[in-house]
Amino acid sequence: IEESPDKTNLGFIHAFVSAISVIIVSELGDKTFFIAAIMAMRYNRLTVLAGAMLALGLMTCLSVLFGYATTVIPRVYTYYVSTALFAIFGIRMLREGLKMSPDEGQEELEEVQAEIKKKDEEFQRTKLLNGPGDVETGAGTTIPQKKWLHFISPFFVQAFTLTFLAEWGDRSQLTTIVLAAREDPYGVAVGGTVGHSLCTGLAVIGGRMIAQKISVRTVTIIGGIVFLAFAFSALFISPDSGF
């Protein structure tokens, strides 16, 4: 039986709104947010934004594929399992938020700063080792690397790898997988990507100022309420409703 266009559109919109809202409350003040904020203060903002967004876009698509793969299981099971996971995420976020001190985000900010500083030192050491040695020894091993650097900035690679590794196994990745198992996968992919774009764009433009102003405690408590609202709404929506 083919679904009507109206029902399909409604499913896409519901998935889009669900994805964008849970990504925003999961990512604001998160490690990936701080990575973009700190790197944008040190390097070219567009390069950092491009590297971080490529990592987040790729991660969103992978997560949607993982979630969509579970649709071979009857929808009634994935629907209620995902609802239970939303309830667990919501309760955990509320508990974490209520236990946090108001300046909780500063620790994460300092941790990210230290990590980026370490990567910088490693890059500078590599640069020094590869620099004069090429001319003196005539070694050709680093020439391909230098050619690559004309096309790909090392800071783009750094933004991509740091963001991808920080996002792997993160709450927002698990949420995207859970959403894709029960909602329209295209809506989840688009909503997740737009949500990540908004958070990362805000981090890149605002940098340290926004990173320091954001109350991780408040965002976590709001996030917990949003997750619980999704779990609660499942009590009134049939698994076979199409969204």
Side-chain angles (χ1 to χ4, degrees):
I1 301 165
E2 283 189 22
E3 290 187 352
S4 68
D6 287 347
K7 198 173 183 182
T8 305
N9 290 340
L10 192 61
F12 178 89
I13 292 162
H14 190 271
F16 176 86
V17 172
S18 302
I20 199 170
S21 55
V22 296
I23 290 299
I24 287 171
V25 295
S26 297
E27 287 298 297
L28 277 180
D30 192 39
K31 194 173 184 179
T32 48
F33 181 88
F34 289 134
I35 287 168
I38 305 291
M39 286 196 74
M41 286 163 16
R42 292 167 174 253
Y43 318 120
N44 181 285
R45 287 179 177 183
L46 278 176
T47 304
V48 172
L49 183 65
M53 276 314 305
L54 181 63
L56 293 166
L58 181 63
M59 186 63 80
T60 301
C61 292
L62 283 172
S63 303
V64 168
L65 283 172
F66 292 151
Y68 187 66
T70 66
T71 55
V72 292
I73 303 163
R75 181 171 164 78
V76 68
Y77 299 122
T78 55
Y79 186 80
Y80 288 117
V81 166
S82 62
T83 300
L85 287 171
F86 273 124
I88 292 163
F89 285 157
I91 291 163
R92 277 188 63 187
M93 282 180 86
L94 271 180
R95 280 182 62 195
E96 283 170 20
L98 293 168
K99 283 180 183 176
M100 279 179 188
S101 62
D103 59 346
E104 185 76 29
Q106 292 307 305
E107 287 174 25
E108 187 111 52
L109 186 65
E110 284 161 20
E111 186 188 318
V112 171
Q113 277 179 316
E115 197 173 336
I116 290 169
K117 192 180 175 187
K118 189 182 166 189
K119 291 277 180 191
D120 268 354
E121 286 165 1
E122 283 173 15
F123 174 68
Q124 291 304 328
R125 274 201 299 273
T126 309
K127 209 172 168 187
L128 284 168
L129 286 168
N130 287 348
D134 292 336
V135 182
E136 288 171 23
T137 61
T141 51
T142 53
I143 292 170
Q145 186 188 11
K146 290 208 165 200
K147 280 185 179 175
W148 270 106
L149 292 182
H150 286 303
F151 301 103
I152 301 173
S153 159
F155 307 122
F156 171 88
V157 176
Q158 191 175 320
F160 175 86
T161 51
L162 281 175
T163 304
F164 192 88
L165 293 171
E167 193 63 17
W168 188 263
D170 191 44
R171 186 188 287 123
S172 57
Q173 188 203 13
L174 299 174
T175 304
T176 308
I177 294 170
V178 171
L179 271 176
R182 62 182 272 174
E183 306 278 350
D184 180 284
Y186 299 108
V188 174
V190 175
T193 306
V194 171
H196 279 303
S197 303
L198 290 171
C199 291
T200 310
L202 186 67
V204 166
I205 294 162
R208 182 195 276 280
M209 186 186 74
I210 287 177
Q212 288 182 326
K213 295 268 186 211
I214 279 179
S215 166
V216 178
R217 184 176 189 267
T218 306
V219 172
T220 306
I221 290 169
I222 292 168
I225 294 165
V226 169
F227 276 87
L228 285 173
F230 278 119
F232 186 69
S233 69
L235 301 174
F236 304 98
I237 301 169
S238 161
D240 302 312
S241 63
F243 64 90

